[in-house]
Amino acid sequence: MTHVDGVLFDIEGVLVTEWQPVPGAADVLARLRAESVRRAFLTNTTSRTCAEIAQRLTDLGMEVEPDEIVTAVSLTVDHVRQTYPGLRCWVLNEGDIAADLDGLVLDADDPEVVILGGAGDAFTHRAMSRVAELMLEDVPVVAMHRALAWQAADGLRIDTGVYLAGLEELTGRSVVAVGKPSLRGFLVASERMGVEPDRMVVVGDDLAGEVVPGQRLGMTGILVRTGKFRQSVLDLAVDRPDHVVDSVADLPGLLAGL
């Protein structure tokens, strides 16, 4: 693995599925640390803070520090603070992420900015209709990500990107999406590791949302056949991954041959 200085991991579908560890994932992370290969974890998870995610992974035997994790929440907060400083924000999201919203002015009753997290029970018909009305009134909408789906234990779940397409079609306005597949998170992870993209690999279960964006920045892309991977999607894809492996457990052998 001496030819690789850093590895950027997706979490859900790569290291865990529904927070159950993928076999071999803990050993891979430990080996990377032992060989002084930098690590970072880029996730569109919007229901947990960076500290909670790190603790959850550590409890599963994967020793991870909070500052190794880059979430769509933290990226979005940085974007909103820079772009709309001091404006009142309505955050439509599941989970208690207040600790990562530091610096935002929260006001769901009279918002000047709408922030959409991951799709879930909060995305009711009434709530999404209100978002559409606010968009038509020129209130900017920022999405934590534009992911279309995630893999639950009992099947696929549609995600925020599905709603964004309809909102944009209805209102004729665009929604800025900050998390994956936007390149912002990949660049932040690269800076945090102190590793240039062409010395990194990115490991994901989503070809269009994780692997291809990393490859566009010069990273070596590795697609795993776990999580929401579908062979039919890979077969039809125009953009191809640099490598495909059965699971993250195969990563050391692949890296050794690079």
Side-chain angles (χ1 to χ4, degrees):
M1 291 189 281
T2 55
H3 299 292
V4 174
D5 294 334
V7 180
L8 177 58
F9 291 95
D10 175 38
I11 296 177
E12 177 61 39
V14 174
L15 302 176
V16 299
T17 300
E18 284 286 283
W19 291 104
Q20 295 301 309
V22 171
D27 292 337
V28 170
L29 295 187
R31 180 172 174 181
L32 291 173
R33 172 169 281 183
E35 298 190 15
S36 299
V37 177
R38 301 288 183 89
R39 315 169 312 171
F41 306 86
L42 179 60
T43 176
N44 275 346
T45 297
T46 58
S47 59
R48 292 182 173 86
T49 65
C50 292
E52 289 172 336
I53 294 170
Q55 186 60 57
R56 191 74 179 268
L57 290 172
T58 298
D59 290 343
L60 293 173
M62 307 177 210
E63 188 175 344
V64 174
E65 301 298 329
D67 62 3
E68 292 181 290
I69 295 175
V70 180
T71 67
V73 177
S74 61
L75 293 169
T76 301
V77 170
D78 288 344
H79 171 77
V80 172
R81 289 171 62 185
Q82 293 169 9
T83 310
Y84 306 108
L87 296 192
R88 302 183 300 275
C89 300
W90 172 31
V91 180
L92 185 60
N93 187 58
E94 298 287 337
D96 182 5
I97 56 171
D100 282 356
L101 298 179
D102 187 43
L104 296 187
V105 180
L106 303 180
D107 187 345
D109 297 325
D110 186 24
E112 297 171 288
V113 180
V114 176
I115 301 175
L116 298 178
D121 292 341
F123 279 45
T124 65
H125 180 262
R126 184 178 296 275
M128 300 314 293
S129 297
R130 185 185 179 207
V131 173
E133 286 186 328
L134 289 167
M135 287 180 69
L136 290 169
E137 295 171 3
D138 289 333
V139 174
V141 176
V142 178
M144 294 184 186
H145 61 71
R146 195 178 281 271
L148 295 173
W150 81 89
Q151 182 67 39
D154 58 349
L156 209 64
R157 299 284 187 271
I158 63 170
D159 211 340
T160 306
V162 173
Y163 292 90
L164 297 187
L167 289 169
E168 291 173 331
E169 178 70 19
L170 172 66
T171 64
R173 303 177 188 279
S174 297
V175 176
V176 172
V178 182
K180 296 180 293 187
S182 166
L183 300 183
R184 180 190 300 264
F186 296 85
L187 292 170
V188 168
S190 172
E191 292 171 3
R192 192 168 294 187
M193 284 191 286
V195 178
E196 292 298 321
D198 62 357
R199 300 288 298 175
M200 293 171 54
V201 301
V202 56
V203 186
D205 65 332
D206 185 333
L207 176 61
E210 295 159 357
V211 177
V212 170
Q215 290 179 175
R216 287 176 180 157
L217 291 172
M219 301 176 189
T220 298
I222 300 173
L223 181 66
V224 295
R225 293 190 180 95
T226 52
K228 59 186 174 185
F229 170 86
R230 296 292 186 274
Q231 185 63 46
S232 59
V233 173
L234 177 59
D235 291 342
L236 295 172
V238 175
D239 294 311
R240 311 302 296 178
D242 293 321
H243 304 278
V244 183
V245 296
D246 287 335
S247 84
V248 70
D250 300 316
L251 182 62
L254 175 59
L255 295 184
L258 291 181

